[in-house]
Amino acid sequence: MTTHLTSPTTPGWFAGLGVGPGQPGLLPVASLDVLRGADVIYAPRSRVSRASVALAALRDLDFPAGRVQEVEFLMDGDDARIDGHYAALAEQIATQQRQGLNVAYLTIGDAMTYSTLGYLVSALRRAAPDLPRRVLPGVTSYAAAAALTGFALGEGRERVLILPCPDDLAQLRADIASHDVVVLMKVGRRLPVVLDLLSELGLLERCALAHRLGLDGEVILPSLESLRGDPLPGGPDAARLGYLSVLLIRGARQRRFA
């Protein structure tokens, strides 16, 4: 009697892709090649959004959009819930890889800079250390904002700090005082009080802001002088302007070119 053995399925790969901050086309060619070879493309979406911002960054590009699956991303501050959420997603992706499917996961901006992809990669490492995975970088929001506003992100020996906006304004004041350039991410509802601090420090004209880069409602400000007092007459108020925004701050320290 002849026994027929079934060959094991060659596992598919996983790739995490940074798709840029929202402006179409800010995607590495290598990432576009990966997208075109993916059987499943996960596009994260906030539970309060009607559509995936990461997916919007790919509009007008030639890739198999019919393979996209939107998935909710979780960042509610509860570490246990976050770990459980990405552990479940990692198990799902590992199952697909073992079925021979190639899986891509999109994330806005750069793949590993303040990105939910970091949680997923860690979960995949624990759940399926034997399966192939890789991460391809993307363009950060602050790099795009700096290019659009002509804001130099560090010259010579300048000290540059990149951080999520702290709730403690005393800490932010100290950070600005001790660095030549501060890149402030995740500003959100704190923007009005941050503007008050920058105005007090006399730095509004030395700062730039980018809001919803490449998306509907985009605001690009090479200087924050227009936000002094009543921000953006006829436009979004300062509190709303803080969401999906990055703030570039050049402090009062003398430049260090030595």
Side-chain angles (χ1 to χ4, degrees), residues 14 38 66 68 81 124 134 141 156 161 183 186-187 212 241 258:
F14 169 84
V68 170
R81 278 171 47 83
L124 283 169
R134 57 178 170 153
S141 60
L161 175 65
V183 175
K186 302 180 183 294
V187 183
R212 292 184 61 82
L241 193 64

Side-chain angles (χ1 to χ4, degrees), residues 148-164:
L148 287 169
T149 60
F151 189 105
L153 283 175
E155 298 176 325
R157 294 179 178 271
E158 287 184 331
R159 290 162 53 85
V160 180
L161 175 65
I162 302 167
L163 77 161

Side-chain angles (χ1 to χ4, degrees), residues 86-150:
Y86 287 104
L89 181 57
E91 291 289 353
Q92 180 176 319
I93 290 172
T95 297
Q96 291 170 326
Q97 287 186 257
R98 290 191 175 102
Q99 292 169 347
L101 299 177
N102 296 325
V103 181
Y105 182 93
L106 312 180
T107 184
I108 192 168
D110 175 62
M112 298 298 280
T113 304
Y114 290 114
S115 169
T116 58
L117 178 61
Y119 295 97
L120 179 56
V121 169
S122 294
L124 283 169
R125 189 180 297 120
R126 292 190 297 268
D130 58 312
L131 294 178
R133 61 183 177 276
R134 57 178 170 153
V135 175
L136 282 75
V139 178
T140 63
S141 60
Y142 56 83
L148 287 169
T149 60

Side-chain angles (χ1 to χ4, degrees), residues 22-249:
Q23 182 179 341
L26 293 184
L27 181 76
V29 174
S31 294
L32 185 56
D33 289 342
V34 167
L35 274 177
R36 290 170 174 165
D39 301 297
V40 180
I41 302 170
Y42 283 103
R45 175 179 56 82
S46 165
R47 64 176 57 182
V48 299
S49 299
R50 289 178 293 179
S52 166
V53 176
L55 191 58
L58 299 179
R59 60 192 183 277
D60 300 328
L61 293 179
D62 178 21
F63 73 100
R67 301 175 188 176
V68 170
Q69 295 183 23
E70 289 196 9
V71 59
E72 184 177 290
F73 70 82
L74 189 64
M75 284 296 292
D76 62 1
D78 185 325
D79 290 343
R81 278 171 47 83
I82 291 172
D83 288 345
H85 174 82
Y86 287 104
L89 181 57
E91 291 289 353
Q92 180 176 319
I93 290 172
T95 297
Q96 291 170 326
Q97 287 186 257
R98 290 191 175 102
Q99 292 169 347
L101 299 177
N102 296 325
V103 181
Y105 182 93
L106 312 180
T107 184
I108 192 168
D110 175 62
M112 298 298 280
T113 304
Y114 290 114
S115 169
T116 58
L117 178 61
Y119 295 97
L120 179 56
V121 169
S122 294
L124 283 169
R125 189 180 297 120
R126 292 190 297 268
D130 58 312
L131 294 178
R133 61 183 177 276
R134 57 178 170 153
V135 175
L136 282 75
V139 178
T140 63
S141 60
Y142 56 83
L148 287 169
T149 60
F151 189 105
L153 283 175
E155 298 176 325
R157 294 179 178 271
E158 287 184 331
R159 290 162 53 85
V160 180
L161 175 65
I162 302 167
L163 77 161
C165 185
D167 290 318
D168 183 353
L169 285 187
Q171 180 60 59
L172 179 58
R173 182 190 294 268
D175 289 334
I176 293 172
S178 59
H179 293 81
D180 301 284
V181 173
V182 173
V183 175
L184 207 56
M185 305 182 70
K186 302 180 183 294
V187 183
R189 56 180 172 76
R190 308 172 190 84
L191 182 58
V193 294
V194 171
L195 292 176
D196 288 342
L197 173 62
L198 295 175
S199 179
E200 176 191 336
L201 296 174
L203 298 178
L204 286 177
E205 65 179 355
R206 299 167 66 92
C207 302
L209 182 142
H211 170 69
R212 292 184 61 82
L213 279 163
L215 304 171
D216 293 339
E218 178 186 82
V219 176
I220 305 294
L221 297 175
S223 166
L224 300 189
E225 277 294 310
S226 63
L227 297 184
R228 188 186 299 275
D230 183 23
L232 290 182
D237 59 36
R240 292 183 58 195
L241 193 64
Y243 291 96
L244 282 180
S245 292
V246 58
L247 187 57
L248 310 178
I249 303 167

